[in-house]
Structure formats: structure tokens, C-alpha cells
Amino acid sequence: MSGELSVLAIIVGIAHSGLRLATPYLYAAIGEMFAQRSGVLNLGVEGIMLMGAYSGFFVTFKTGNLLLGLLAAATVGALMGLAMAFVSVTLQAQQGISGIGLFMFGLGASSLLFKTTLGTVEGVEGFPELRFCLSSLGLNSNYCLSQIPILGEIFLRHNILVYGAFALVPIAWWVLNKTTWGLSIRAVGQNPQAADSLGVSVARVRYVTVTLGGMLAGIAGASLSISLLNIFQENMTNGQGFIAVALVYFGSWAPLGVLAGAMLFSLVNALQLWVQVLGLNIPSDVAVMLPYLLTIITLAFPFRRALQPAALTKPFERGES
Amino acid sequence: MAKNNLLPSGLPRIESMEMRGIVKRFPGVLANDHVDFDVKAGEIHALLGENGAGKSTLMKILYGLYQPNAGEILLNGQPIHIHSPADSIRYGIGMIHQHFMLVDSLTVAENVALGLKSSREPRLDLDRVTTRIRELSKNYGLQVDPDAYVSQLAVGQQQRVEIIKALYRGAALLVLDEPTAVLTPQEVDDLFAILRQMAQDGHALIFISHKLHEILDLTDRVTVLRDGKVIGTRLTAEVTKEDLARMMVGRDILLERVRPPATVGEVRLKLDRVTAVNDDGAPVLRNVSLEVRSSEIVGVAGVSGNGQRQLAEVIAGLWPVTEGRIFLEGREVTNLPPAEMLEAGLSYIPEERMHDGALKEFSVAENLILQDHIREPYSKGIFLDFRHIARHAQEMIRKFDIKTPSQETPLKNLSGGNIQKLILARELARKPRVLIAAQPTRGVDIGATEYIHNQLLQQRAEGLATLLISEDLDEIRALSDRIIVMFGGEIMGIVDNDQTTVEELGLMMAGEKKDLQSLGVAR
Amino acid sequence: MSKRLFWPLTLLVALALIAAQCAAPATEAPPPAKTEEAAPAKTEEAAPAEGAALDIEPIRIAIVMPSTTTDLAWSQAIFDALLRIQEEAGGEDVVEIAYSETMFNVTDAAAALRDYAADGYDLVIAHGTQYGSSLFEIAPDFPDTSFAWGTATDTGEGEGLHNIFAYEARAEQGGYVNGVLAASLSKSGVIGVVGPVEAGDAKLYIDGFVAGAKATNPDITVNVSYTGSFGDTALAAEAANTHINAGADVLTGSAQQVVGAIGVAKEKNVPWLGTQSDQSPLAPDIVVATQLYDWHDTLLDMIKKHQAGELGGTAYQLTLKNGGLTMLYSDSLPEEAVAAAKEAEAGIISGEITIDIE
């Protein structure tokens, strides 16, 4: 047993891991939240994440430029979001099915591209962990803020995409609640006829949110392939995109709720890893089920359904009411 | 009339709006056939017609929701083109839809700000919107709290939000599509006071309704549409109800119902403290107790969505009772399946007749025997007896004056009024002991309404116990012996029709309970 | 059912599918039959020189795998061996290979297996313990086709089947060696193991690893964690992180998920001990030793037996002794550590060291 490990060190470890694990979920789920708030359920997040992970990785691998990789992931994600918007808004297809189609496309296309362009699992130098060292400010000191006990250790040794994910939460909240555009999104998802009668273009709002959601899902994929894992492997997202969709329900379609859900899921996951590492006498099967169990239990609470955007999954047609 | 050219909102008036030669075709229907219509500043112009006469289509064209196939629109004499609601808003045209265009989960201020440029894009400026809403509230006497969520507001208040929304956008011309359908009588009075004031201040108002007394009460001119055509435009002061009814229907209509005195008999239907809940477990009926006796029509009044539908379905065996008991002729029938309820002597005319009451792909004859097709004389063993069915259909078509090309015609090709007559015919042919009639004349033309009402009264004379559920207070008043008012799934009061007033009913419809003693439940 | 419940329920189903994907490979293997200690390697360990044509007739081989041919682990190991045989035998004209990858759904895999057999493939390989029960249903319908499956020891002879080969890697052997190496390398006295699902090949490897480490240093701490999935790269990475935070200074792990863990090991500069396939191209300085699965000889023997009319009945094992398992050591390793590892290898081959696992 690792007797010399202090409880504090374990808590720091769990918190630090939790923040890392939550990162891809936050990007994907916040993006999906925008789409759903405007009334479009995009079940293709997983496929977009895979394509984002691949594109980000490939461009970084070939050019060595991380920002270019990130841009590629965002662009590919946005294009796939645009495709979903076209199918669900313009063609008014059944959203669940077209989302699954998008997922399958992303899964297949990323595998095929991987095989033809890479062939084997490769590594890249991903976004480095920041340490917030005083020397970078030109100060004559070796001290880094990441060394600050507990807080520094938990919060100040992550790469930029982790911070980006958490910065996204208040930004998303602000956009949704404090801007005219956010008001249009909320209205379109709840009562598109009303929004339309006031001259708000339902189609345009949905196109923008679904494309934005795709872009963020692409970045979510890149956060795996060029910031947290720094490799690309086929099907590497392993269901995270679907969990992200579940987190939107879990979070009651609100940025803070999504944050809470992502953190709960990730912290429990980090906790169960520690439970195993410490050799606590719990079967590994039970430990790995914990986060899923928790998600399912929370989803089952009926009161959350009242918060669901009323027009979710419903195509809009002018003149019908 | 206002002396200057500005409205109280500070915006210019629309001196005149003219629609000329408007034609709108839908597949198989000519919804507007060269319609001419106009309205001036300071005037309330009524647009009257049966369902399907083309009123809503005309107004949707004005608001940019539909594009006309021909015709033009002139504003202050200048031709304009309206491609979308955004265009019409820009021209100063506002519309209050029959179904409110409000987002429940947003506040009043957010609903008003929706779709408007903010003064500090991209940020919302709800504080300024709130200030302006307060100004408009004051200038127009439209009391509403800008910070309240729409879902918390009563229907009448929601309508004020709709009007404020239009005024906020600078509406000088306001279209009101059946604005009174969901209001209590007091709310109607309040609305009319506001509309009169608005007209006086220089707004141009178009008022769509099929309620004749409201039109006579409120408007300056009236244009009647029938089958997509303008039948005529008159000064309201120069016409009578009967004139208008004749223009709408094309023949003379008897508007007054004669409800002869009748001696009530034994209790046929009794509900004892019935409670029911919805999918989410929230109560939709609370402790509802009532009795309907032989030769009696009991009307159930209330604003839409206050449990009337569930009341009908609970009695018909279509909605489970969680607590309480239901008796039919003294026999307990709580939670019996619908088939056994029919067997026990209950007939039910459902609210959604095309959905619950009939099969639109089936023929008239088939629809006439829907419940009884497995019984003699319509079937022998497992076979249908088509000769008997045809004879029965012919008899019903004649007796109930159902206008249909043949008894083989699919039901969907009949008008709403004739479908309703068919359903009534089918239900009454079963010689029921109790009839539940839910919204029996909604969307039905005046002619068919007259016929259905007379049938209900005749059945009453023959001893039928009828529970009449309607959102049309005039219908309730015309037919009922006693009136039950529902609000929030509860009974607010049970009153004698001849001893109550519209004001009393209106208060109860708004949720004010009549003192408990008069509930007369435990009699 | 109310409409509002529909999407939450759909999501639950999706979650369940993910869970099923995690759980599927944990299917219990049928009880081991009499294990015929590897017949194949009649010390033909020295594979024929490259380029030399193998002495085999044209054959069509199909394989169904749970992960991808490029997983740097379980599936890639056998697929690489097939490709080598194809090359040596003279290309696609002699050895035709068809494959289905990422068949984590057993039902899909069963359909693929049946399709290949019906399509006239001579040797149909089900590369996963979880495919066993399906294979045993399919094999009797195609008596002229050879089937093979692993990790397994049951050739179905007890049930009267004669066209099934079974194969397994005695992963605990290399696991033991890696364990010895890890104990020698560790200064902190803590070693971390990133396991996938607690079953089959991975469990054999990890149990052997723990035994080897404990045999070298009884006081050493070996922290074992399972991610519950073969493919959850992100969670494997976080598991590696957790191990490092818990003091581990040597890491190992199994299945395709480990590429995530290797990424973390590389970033934190912690040595990694690999298994199944050679993972060193991903991080040459970090992957310091590997237990390599070499299915070449096993597969070649199956092909030859098939062409000689013996369609099944043999249970193969990869062992250090028969050369099916080989150890690769990095030059950067300290000499005494390598010496200890090689001693362990020799001990296992000679039978001096027996590995006690559950």
C-alpha cells in the first residue's frame, strides 16, 4: 500500500485529473447545448469529435504547428456541423437518425483517413502544460505559480485547451443569457413560431448554433489528440461524444449545469481510478461503472424534463402552429 | 381622433391600408378570391366569417406569413411588398395571433426584446426595454410586469404582452385574430376598453371574430367573407346580428335558442370527489363532484385548459381516475374501459373530432356504425350486414341533415359542421342515457351550430342527461340549465343559468371560488 | 410512453451500448480442455529467410478482430504476422487475406465469421475469446473450413468438432519478465499497471507481471487499475497520470488503449514496458522493453495442417520457449536490469521458474 501518500495529495490528484478529463466533455457538451437550446439534437457529436481529433492531429503532425492543427479541427468540426444543420434544418430530416449517420460517417472517415495517411499510431508534441513561471515575466526567479501548494497544483499546471474549456462555460452563459443572439436561441428552441413572427430567422439561428456546436466538438476531439493524449488512434473518443450529449440533458441545458455534470462525471472517474490504484477492495468492474451509473441515475429524475427546450428535435415550418 | 399625426408611442400613424384584389390559392382551395379590404387610422374594422372563409389567410398575407398569388397592398396610398413578418413590422403592422406568439420560458421584457436590435449590440439592453414597456403600459393602460415570466401570467395578461410587443415595434396598425376566444368576460371588457382607446389615439385596428355581439359592440365597420369572397362591407351601426348572420351563411339563421322549461328527473351521472393526474403526476382534476339529471343540460364553462378536456375523458373512461368515484345511473363505473362505458349507456362527442371521434379515411356509412359494428343489426357473427348498414346510413343522413355526396364518401371530404352532425347522429342513434358533448360546435358553421343546438335541446326534452363542455360562454348560456365553472382542474362554482350573470361566471372563470355552500355537492 | 422521455431513453441505450462494448470482451472463456503443449514449433524458430517462398499452396484466410489492425496491440500483432506470411509466400496470389476490424459487437462478428466461411475462405480466424460461443455454432456448418480462435485452449474436440484450432499467448511469461525488469528499474518502489478489462489475455499478463515484480522485490508496491474498456484512450492516459501521482516510476499496461498511457509516460518521462505489439515507435526513449507476440509460426502451422487435411484439433500456445513470445530490450536499459530479465527468461524456459497465477 502507498501508505506515505497523504490524503491531501490524493485529493489534489483527483482534482487535477478531474479537470483534465472534463476538458473534451466541456467543449463537446457546451457546443451541443447551443444546438439543443435552438431545437436541434445532434447525436453526431462523437463522429465530429473523431474527425476533429484526426484533423487536428494530422495537421500538427505534418506541420508541427499546434495552432494550425487546432484551426483544422475547428474547421472540420464546423463543416460537419454545417452538414448536420443542412440535413436537419433545410431538409428537415429526423434528427436522431441523421445524427447517428453523422457519427458513423465520422467514425468511418477518420479510420480510413488514418489508415491511408498515417497507417500507425504516431505521437506529436501537444500543447504543453503551462506552469506560470515568474521567469517568463522577466523576473529573476525559478518559482512557478504551479508550485503553490494545493491551488497551484490543482489549477495551474494544465495546457491551454483545458483553460479554454473552462473559460467557455461563463462565455456560453453570457452569450445565452446576456446577448440578443442568445435570446434568439432560447426563443427559437422554445417557440420557433413566436420567434419567426417577430422576424427572427429560425433557420439562421439553428444553422449558426449547430455549426458552432460542430466546431466545438471538433475542438473537443483536438483536445484529446493534440493536448491531452497527443496521439491519434481509430475510434479514440470511445463514446465520449455520446456522454457529452447525455451531459446536456444532465445539465438541464444550462452552461453551469453542463459544467456540474462534466465535473461530477470526471471527478468520479478520477476518484475510481484512485480507488483502484490505492488497491481499495472494490472490483474494478464496479469502479468503472460508477460514473455511468451516476449519470443514468441523474438523468432519470423527471423534473429535469420540464426544462427541455420545447421545440427540441422538431423541424420548423412557417405558418403552422 | 388624435389631433396630431403621432401615436402615443411617439410613432407615425398609418392613415390608410388597402388590400386590393388579393388572391391566394392552396392546393384544391381558393382561400382568397379577389378580396378588397381596407382600414383607416382611428377605426376598428371587423373581419367576419365562418371558419375557412379566408379571414386568417388574408391577415397572414398582410403579415408576410403567406405570399398572395395576385393583388396588391397599399400603405398610405403607396404600394408595398411584404415578404416576411420582419417587413410588415417595419411598415408598422402588428399582429396578435389567436395562439399567442409568446415564449413561455422567457420574461415579458425578453419576449418584447426578441428579434430587436439592442442599443448596445451584441449585449441585451433589457433595462431600457423594461423602461419603455413601463411607458407603454402607462400610456395605453396595459398593466403588466416586465420582469414576470410569461408562464406565470394569466391569459388576459399574456394578451397585453402581445399588444405591448406590437406597440413596442411601432405598430400603427394592429390585427387581432380572434382575440377574445380565450378570455373571461371581464378580460374581454378590459380588452375592448384598451382597443377603443387605441383607436381614439389614432391606431388602425382590424378585429377578426365570429362572435356577432362583439362585433356590434366594438367595431366601426365590418367586412364579411364567405368562401374566400367579400360578401360586403357595412357600417356596424347600420346592421343587425341577423343581417350579419345572413351575410355569413347565405340564408336566414335563427340566433336565439328556445329552452323550454323542463322537469328534471333522476340523477343519471354522478361524480364524487374525482381526482386525476397527468403524465408528470400533477393533478389535472381536483375533487370534482357533480351530478347531471334526466332532462337536464349541465354546462361546463371555463377558460381553455382548465381541466374540461380531462373531465370529459375521465367520464368516457379514457383518462384514469386516481381518486374518487363515478356513477352512471347509480352503478359505479370508475375506470371502466370505454367499451363498457358505452355499454352502460354513455355517449361521447369528443373535443378533437377528427382525431378521437371519427376515422377520416372511412366512409360516412362506416363512420356511422363505428362503435356498434360488432352488434346486431349491423353484423351477424363475424360478418357485417351491409344492407342494414346502408339503410341505417341513409336514415341518419336524412334525419340529421348531413350534407354529403353519398354515404360512400370518405369522411375527410365533409365540412366540419357535417362531420359534427354525423358524430352527433351516431351518438344519439345509440339512444344513450347520458351524453358528454365536448366543444360540439367549435369550428362549426352557424348553420350547423343552429342544428346541433336544436338537437341537444330536443334530446333534453326527451329525457337525455347532457354534460355540455364548451369554451364558448354564449353556447353554455343558451343551452344549459345549470352551469359549472372550472378553473385549474377544480370546480369554482355550480350556478343556475337563470339566476346568474356573465359577471359572476367571469369571476369564477378567472379563478374566484363561489362560496362553498353554493357548490351543492353534498346535497 | 410520453414523447419527452424518448431522447433521454435513447441516450441511456447509447450509454448501455458503450457499457456493453466495455463488457463484451469479458465473456468467460470455455473451460480449458487438455492443453497439448505447443506442438507447432518443431524448432522452426528461425523463420525462413526473408524473400524465400514458403512451401504452401494458395490459401484464403479471413480474420475477425475486436480492434483495428493498427492498434499497436492485440489485433495488430496477429495481423502483422499474417502480412509477413503473405509476403514470404509470394503475395496475394498465394495468401489472400480478408479482415473485419473493430468488431466489438459479438453479433456482428458472428455474422462476419459466417459470411467468410460461406464465402469459401479456407481458414477463418476469430481473434477474441468473446467470439468462442458463436464460433462453436458456426463451425459444424462448414466442415471443410478450418476455424481458429483465441485466447483459447478449447478446440471443441470434446463436442465432436474437428475443424477448430485454438491459440493463446502465455502472456504471463513475458509479464513475469517485465515484472522483474520493472522491479529492478523502480527506485520509488511503486509500479503502475494500466489494465483494460479484468479478463483474458490482459489478466494473464498483469498477473504474471505482479508475480515477477514481487519475486524480485517482495516489498514492492504494484498498483493495478482497470479502465473497464479496451479502447478508452483518454481514461488510460488519466490512469497513467494517477499512477505517476501515486508515486509510480515504471508503468505497463495492455490493449490498444495504452497508447494514451504511453503518451503520458512520454510527457512525464516514465519508462514503459509493453506487451503484444512493439509500441516503441510511438516513444522510442520511453518504451524500454516489450513482450512481442509472434503468431507467425502458429499461423503457418495451421495453414500447413489445413493443407495436409488436418482441419483442426490443435491448441497452440505462444511461449518464450517456443519463440512465440520474444522479449525486446532497449539499449538504454541498465545492464544489471537486463541481466535479471534474461535470467528470468531462461528460468521460465527451463521450467525453473513457475508462475503461480489464479
Side-chain angles (χ1 to χ4, degrees), chain A residues 174 177-181 183-184 186-187 190-191 193-200 302 305 318-321, chain B residues 60 63 65 85-86 89 97 101-103 105-106 110-111 113-116 118 121-124 165 169 280:
Chain A
W174 182 79
N177 293 299
K178 295 290 165 190
T179 68
T180 49
W181 192 60
L183 180 61
S184 296
R186 286 184 283 150
Q190 202 64 240
N191 188 345
Q193 274 75 20
D196 181 61
S197 76
L198 295 177
V200 175
R305 280 184 279 128
R318 177 175 285 173
E320 284 182 5
S321 56
Chain B
K60 280 180 175 172
Y63 199 57
L65 289 166
I89 290 167
H97 300 264
M101 292 291 184
L102 293 172
V103 184
S105 57
L106 301 182
E110 284 174 325
N111 267 286
L114 179 59
L116 292 177
S118 155
E121 284 286 338
R123 286 161 61 208
L124 283 168
K165 243 167 70 180
R169 284 165 168 72
D280 293 335

Side-chain angles (χ1 to χ4, degrees), chain A residues 31 63-64 68 74 76 78 90 134 162 182 188 203 210 215-216 256 262 268 270 273 280 285 291 295 307 321:
Chain A
T63 65
L68 222 51
V76 168
T90 305
L134 299 183
V162 176
V188 163
V210 178
M215 187 184 93
L216 289 174
L256 282 173
V268 174
L273 286 173
L280 300 187
D285 302 326
T295 310
L307 305 165
S321 56

